[in-house]
């Protein structure tokens, strides 16, 4: 049988493993590949630093190479990339000719055009002749120009077609697995069962058992056969035994040297190959910039630098490897060796040099570099394979950085050590007027040497000067230092533990002259550096002041790659779940000038101010345009960039560039503020559900005070209008309640069976001071309580409004349209069922409905039926979300249409049924629910619990207190009770779930309205004018303090009481989003409560026995005083609310408007109905009721049935000047 051809590529071996008829053919190709690496032939000709074994290089570096199992597509991609590079080269050669020809013809075209212009104007017919002759003579030149430009345009079109094909192939290849040969062999053996010999051969050559493929499976995870698993287990056990023997040998060697007391004890310590340490054999650049073998003789305490003793050169047999072309195909090295040898002989025999520790290459790194491939497309496969290993080293960047050395050691390609610059170094340079450091200054430290609690900032930018990264004001350095200070404060990290990756300092700039491919290794490692960083900071300014499109940050290809990787790190498998991409922009400006990023006429040299702007991109949207379409200095880098972009999950059409920025271009600031002020509750709810981190508006923290208060005043105007609107139906209800007559039946008429004055406790006294005249109420003395009427009036309205609000809340989530009919049906059904329950309950309990708790039973059953009807008639709709197909390497990765803080306009006809509200993760309506339903029910339960506590316990007790005690209660007890309830409801609403945030916030809105009105009625129940005014002022100050302390209180409780870590961006976004809805609800409820309470005080005097709101016995309310008190309350509350909104705006709380934005009509319908429901519930709480615990006897006296006169809230204030004590003729004796 003929010998199979020698394999020179990974793909040839992989194809043989997958498709060869016999295993021995695959084994033969495998052995040929492992013993002859892609650079094996060159390895035999090149001279290397002493001590590096070429055979070892070939064997160990290629066995764990990553490749694509879809070899057919890969081969097409390679051919197309070659075609693209050839077209680029042709275009590059032709473009200068076109430019030169164009420049020469311009000088001719101008006078010729002038001649034809004169001839055309009719100045002289003689001019026509020379013009025509000149044109005829020069026509060959014009024809040459036309032909050359036609060729150039044809090349451009062909190159564009080649790029399109490249992109399509890259997208196809991104869906195929990326794996090592061992992974390929195991997967093939699972099907064919005849590749165990290949698996054993790979293991014998040292194939890794720990490496995972692009889907996250290692060798054991891929194995489906018991025989294969046994082979892997045996090899794993053998390697563990070898490692144990090696460790014992190292230990015994160390012990023996210690016993002899040798001064060379340190040299006996086992040398790790993944980091640079004392006595390690390394490869570093000498003083001439050439890489040579050496030994580390000392390492600085901070590990920033080390001293390397280079090996002496004997007879010129050792020299640095020749420079290789990075952006072209293999070049001939003929004649290079002689020149290198000549340079080597001129060097001194031994050199001791100080080097940057992070830029020194370990033996493994050098072997990987020596085995590099000239096919730049393989850089994309290397990157994809490396990114797949990242989750193995920890869940957070800090955990991963601790093992970066081990991460380097298992890579089959050169991965330079990641180094960073400390905050202290940067701050000192800024203080002394220094600039961003350069790599030659050796101020960076390896990430393996920084503390585990450190945070790393990745800085992405372009140069501001031709030769320097910053301008004369060092504005970038200032911005980085301020950003590190901000990150340290927000994360609770010591500022000294902050570090930054800056290309100028952290990439060895000295490699570009002789070793540009090592320099490019740093560039291709940028995505990994981003993945190992905690924060992403960038600056959009360039050295052309953003006037040159080719130099703009967002147009540069490698800048786009960095941004795409920053976004990709937040997606599985690098993250446990998709999360938004959070980055920070250094917004540069001229101090005292316009604070914009693209001002006309501003030079980059004049920029001296900086502020930090937080930007968030939704998890399902890419924050940059196609990196492969960006501007490149070298066109041959484009094919690998196209593949890298696709490997990272970039998808055309899912960019979210404009929506990411939170500061728009000049002239858009007013429009942006207008849109932000008009963020509806629905839009905020959408953002909380889909992208919680985007809810926090960090830009507001830097707003000017005048701009801030202008925005606040406009937002508060919306609050005021909404409060007036929702107050109108409630005031109408108060008027109806007032004019519905007394809720007492019977009176001081013995023939009618009513109670006499004797029955009221006055056996012998007939003094009118005990039974004063009460202006029309005298005839009702001795009457009994009509409990059925009061519950029917208030409870019926409450249940009806509750039916409307419950169904309208679903409309807020879904919008008007076909849902409207469902909501109407649900409302009518809920009303009918709840009122039927109330009617049956009143029949069963009769006039004892209040005393024996029948009202509680009716309320609970009726409210539950309302919810059941809403679920039956409105229900949970299925969501139609557009989901992109999951890629093969990441089945959990999905892309949704990007939600924004300002929700899009509803679809025509009002039917917007494609919201992410009911299905935030895009999982479809048939997915199992999380905890959203239970959280919504918890919110309702908490609200009902607190409302019943007030209705049946606190309010009746409050009525027995004196005015001073009432003031104390209102300022201490009431706020404490309300704050605890609000905290519980916010925790429920801010918890992540599949339920829309607006649904969970519905309970908060109802809670706010109920307790704001209760608080106002508690104030109006005071009869002392001075105390009333004092209460109004104190309540305003109290509300201000409570509002501005929401977020600090939340953080303090988490840290000191619960012992939890600081809020994440998503947690903070959810909390502040809920807080924004709660704020606007609370403020407009507060204002509406002032209107309703004042209306009640002015209109309900005639039913003062039924509703004790602090009326005098025989003195109607003082209208001027009540109106003045209302005006004072509105002014005090408005001032406090405006200040609170401004402070909270600085904290990142968004302003929510109920009168603008999407779904504002549905929102106002819900607000009006829930306000009416809460108003009815509050007036039932303050109504005269013979509750069981306060009225234990029934009736009070055997001579009559005025049971309420014996209740504690009446008897406890006997003799005091109150309406009930006067009505019941009770003395203080």
């Amino acid at each position: 049988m003929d010998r199979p051809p020698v394999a020179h590529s990974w793909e040839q071996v992989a194809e043989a493993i997958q498709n060869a008829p016999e295993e021995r053919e695959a084994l033969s190709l495998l052995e040929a590949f492992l013993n002859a690496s892609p650079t094996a032939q060159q390895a035999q000709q090149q001279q290397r630093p002493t001590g590096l074994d070429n055979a070892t290089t070939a064997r160990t570096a290629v066995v764990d190479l990553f490749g694509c199992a879809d070899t057919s597509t890969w081969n097409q991609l390679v051919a197309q990339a070659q075609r693209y590079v050839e077209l680029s080269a042709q275009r590059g050669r032709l473009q200068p000719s076109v430019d030169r020809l164009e420049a020469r013809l311009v000088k001719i075209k101008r006078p010729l055009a002038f001649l034809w212009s004169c001839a055309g104007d009719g100045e002289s017919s003689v001019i026509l002749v020379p013009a025509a002759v000149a044109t005829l003579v020069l026509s060959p030149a014009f024809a040459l120009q036309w032909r050359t430009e036609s060729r150039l345009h044809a090349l451009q079109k062909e190159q564009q077609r080649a790029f399109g094909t490249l992109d399509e192939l890259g997208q196809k290849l991104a869906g195929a697995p990326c794996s090592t040969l061992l992974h390929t062999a195991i997967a093939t053996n699972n099907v064919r069962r005849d590749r165990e010999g290949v698996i054993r051969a790979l293991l014998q050559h040292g194939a890794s058992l720990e490496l995972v493929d692009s889907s996250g499976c290692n060798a054991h995870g891929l194995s489906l056969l018991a025989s294969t698993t046994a082979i892997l287990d045996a090899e794993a056990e053998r390697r563990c035994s070898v490692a144990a023997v090696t460790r014992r040998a190292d230990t015994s060697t160390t012990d023996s040297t210690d016993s002899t007391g040798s001064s060379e004890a340190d040299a006996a310590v086992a040398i790790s190959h993944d980091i640079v340490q004392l006595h390690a054999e390394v490869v570093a650049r000498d003083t001439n910039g050439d890489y040579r073998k050496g030994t580390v003789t000392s390492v600085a305490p901070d590990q920033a630098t080390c001293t390397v003793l280079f090996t002496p050169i004997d007879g010129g047999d050792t020299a640095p490897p020749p420079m290789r072309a990075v952006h072209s195909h293999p070049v001939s090295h003929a004649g290079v060796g002689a020149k290198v040898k000549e340079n080597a002989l001129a060097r001194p025999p031994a050199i001791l040099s100080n080097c940057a520790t992070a830029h020194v290459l370990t033996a493994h790194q050098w072997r990987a570099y020596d085995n590099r491939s000239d096919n730049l497309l393989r850089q994309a496969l290397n990157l994809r394979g490396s990114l797949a290993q990242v989750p193995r080293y920890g869940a957070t960047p800090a955990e991963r950085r601790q093992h970066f050395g081990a991460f380097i050691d298992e890579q089959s390609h050169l991965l330079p050590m990641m180094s960073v610059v400390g905050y202290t170094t940067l701050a000192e340079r800024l203080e002394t007027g220094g600039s961003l450091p350069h790599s030659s200054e050796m101020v960076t430290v390896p990430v393996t040497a920084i503390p585990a609690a450190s945070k790393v900032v990745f800085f992405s930018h372009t140069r501001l000067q031709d030769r320097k990264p910053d301008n004369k004001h060092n504005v970038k350095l200032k911005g980085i230092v301020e950003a590190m200070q901000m990150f340290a404060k927000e994360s609770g990290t010591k500022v000294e533990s902050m570090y930054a990756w800056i290309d100028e300092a952290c990439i060895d700039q000295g490699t570009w002259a002789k070793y540009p491919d090592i320099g490019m290794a740093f560039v291709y490692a940028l995505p990994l550096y981003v993945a190992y960083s905690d924060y992403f900071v960038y600056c959009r300014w360039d050295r052309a002041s953003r006037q040159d499109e080719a130099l703009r940050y967002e147009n540069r290809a490698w800048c786009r790659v960095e941004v795409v990787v920053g976004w990709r790190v937040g997606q599985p498998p690098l993250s446990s779940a998709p999360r938004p991409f959070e980055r920070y922009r250094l917004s540069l400006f001229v101090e005292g000038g316009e604070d914009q990023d693209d001002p006309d006429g501003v030079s980059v040299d004049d920029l001296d101010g900086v502020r930090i702007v937080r930007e968030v991109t939704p998890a399902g949207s890419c924050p940059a345009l196609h990196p492969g379409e960006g501007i490149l200095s070298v066109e041959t880098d484009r094919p690998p960039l196209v593949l890298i972009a696709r490997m990272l999950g970039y998808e055309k059409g899912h960019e979210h560039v404009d929506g990411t920025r939170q500061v728009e271009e000049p002239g858009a600031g007013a429009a942006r503020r207008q849109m932000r002020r008009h963020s509806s509750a629905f839009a905020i709810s959408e953002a909380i559900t889909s992208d919680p981190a985007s809810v926090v508006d960090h830009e507001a923290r830097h707003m000017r005070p005048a701009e801030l208060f202008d925005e606040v005043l406009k937002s508060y105007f919306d609050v005021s209008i909404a409060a007036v609107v929702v107050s109108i139906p409630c005031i109408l209800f108060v008027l109806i309640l007032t004019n519905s007559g007394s809720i007492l039946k019977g009176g001081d008429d013995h023939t009618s069976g009513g109670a006499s004055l004797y029955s009221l406790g006055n056996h012998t006294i007939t003094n009118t001071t005990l039974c004063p005249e009460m202006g029309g109420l005298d005839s009702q003395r001795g009457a009994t309580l009509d409990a059925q009427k009061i519950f029917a009036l208030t409870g019926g309205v409450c249940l009806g409004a509750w039916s409307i609000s419950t169904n309208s809340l679903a409309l807020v989530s879904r919008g008007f349209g076909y849902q409207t009919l469902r909501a109407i049906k649900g409302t009518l059904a809920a009303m009918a069922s709840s009122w039927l329950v109330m009617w049956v309950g009143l029949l069963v309990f009769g006039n004892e409905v209040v005393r024996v708790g029948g009202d509680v039973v009716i309320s609970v059953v009726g409210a539950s039926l309302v919810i059941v009807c809403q679920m039956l008639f409105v229900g949970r709709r299925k969501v139609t979300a557009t989901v992109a197909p999951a890629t093969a390497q990441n089945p959990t990765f999905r892309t949704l249409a990007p939600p924004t803080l300002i929700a899009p306009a509803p679809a025509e006809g009002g039917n917007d049924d494609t919201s992410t509200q009911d299905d935030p993760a895009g999982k479809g309506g048939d997915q199992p629910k999380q905890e959203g339903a239970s959280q919504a029910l918890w919110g309702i339960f908490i609200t009902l619990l607190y409302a019943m506590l007030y209705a049946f316990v606190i309010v009746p007790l409050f009525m027995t207190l004196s005015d001073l005690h009432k003031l104390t209660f209102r300022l201490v007890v009431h706020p404490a009770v309300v704050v605890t309830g609000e905290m519980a409801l916010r925790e429920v609403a801010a918890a992540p779930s599949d339920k829309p945030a607006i649904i969970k916030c519905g309970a908060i809105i109802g809670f706010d309205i109920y307790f704001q009105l209760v608080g106002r009625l508690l104030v109006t129940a005071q009869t002392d004018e001075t105390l009333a005014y004092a209460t109004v002022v104190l309540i305003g100050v109290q509300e201000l303090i409570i509002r501005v302390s929401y977020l600090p209180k939340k953080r303090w409780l988490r840290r000191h009481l619960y012992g939890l870590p600081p809020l994440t961006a998503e947690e903070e976004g959810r909390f502040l989003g809920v807080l924004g809805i709660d704020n606007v609800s609370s403020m407009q409820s507060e204002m509406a409560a002032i209107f309703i309470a004042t209306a009640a005080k002015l209109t309900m005097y005639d039913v003062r026995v039924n509703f004790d709101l602090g009326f005098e016995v025989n003195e109607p309310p003082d209208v001027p005083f009540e109106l003045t008190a209302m005006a004072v309350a509105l002014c005090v509350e408005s001032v406090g609310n405006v200040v609170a909104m401004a402070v909270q705006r600085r904290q990142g709380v968004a302003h929510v408007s109920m009168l603008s934005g999407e779904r504002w009509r549905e929102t106002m319908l819900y607000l009006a109905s829930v306000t009416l429901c809460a108003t009815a519930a509050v007036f039932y709480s303050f109504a005269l009721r013979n509750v069981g615990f306060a009225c234990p006897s029934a009736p009070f006296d055997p001579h009559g049935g005025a049971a309420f006169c014996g209740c504690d809230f009446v008897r406890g204030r006997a003799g005091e000047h109150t309406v009930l004590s006067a009505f019941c003729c009770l003395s203080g004796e």
Side-chain angles (χ1 to χ4, degrees), residues 756-780:
S756 64
L757 293 180
Y758 177 85
S759 69
L760 294 174
N762 303 310
H763 302 277
T764 58
I765 302 175
T766 58
N767 191 334
T768 56
T769 58
L770 290 179
C771 292
E773 294 182 2
M774 297 190 67
L777 297 179
D778 304 270
S779 62
Q780 296 182 22

Side-chain angles (χ1 to χ4, degrees), residues 710-775:
D710 177 68
E711 178 184 317
V712 167
L713 290 174
K714 292 177 180 178
S715 298
Y716 194 69
F717 178 77
D718 289 353
V719 173
S720 305
I721 299 299
V724 173
V725 172
V726 300
S727 300
I728 294 175
C730 300
I731 294 175
L732 292 176
F733 167 73
V734 171
L735 295 176
I736 294 173
L737 199 62
T738 302
N739 294 282
S740 62
S742 174
I743 59 172
L744 302 176
K745 55 184 180 180
D748 195 12
D749 182 359
H750 297 284
T751 60
S752 64
S756 64
L757 293 180
Y758 177 85
S759 69
L760 294 174
N762 303 310
H763 302 277
T764 58
I765 302 175
T766 58
N767 191 334
T768 56
T769 58
L770 290 179
C771 292
E773 294 182 2
M774 297 190 67

Side-chain angles (χ1 to χ4, degrees), residues 6 151 223 293 534 731 759 763 797 993 1216:
V6 176
R151 288 178 56 199
S223 176
K293 177 190 172 185
D534 300 279
I731 294 175
S759 69
H763 302 277
V797 173
S993 73
E1216 295 187 24

Side-chain angles (χ1 to χ4, degrees), residues 618-672:
S621 304
C622 185
L625 298 176
H626 198 329
E629 297 176 353
I631 305 299
L632 284 168
S633 300
V634 182
E635 195 62 28
T636 49
D637 277 340
R638 195 170 303 281
L641 272 181
V642 171
L643 186 55
I644 286 174
R646 292 302 185 179
M647 293 288 188
L648 291 174
Y650 171 84
E651 292 188 27
K652 198 81 170 178
H654 289 278
E655 300 91 344
H656 193 59
V657 181
D658 294 335
T660 299
R661 293 202 304 252
Q662 295 184 3
V663 178
E664 287 78 5
E665 305 299 328
R672 171 182 52 80

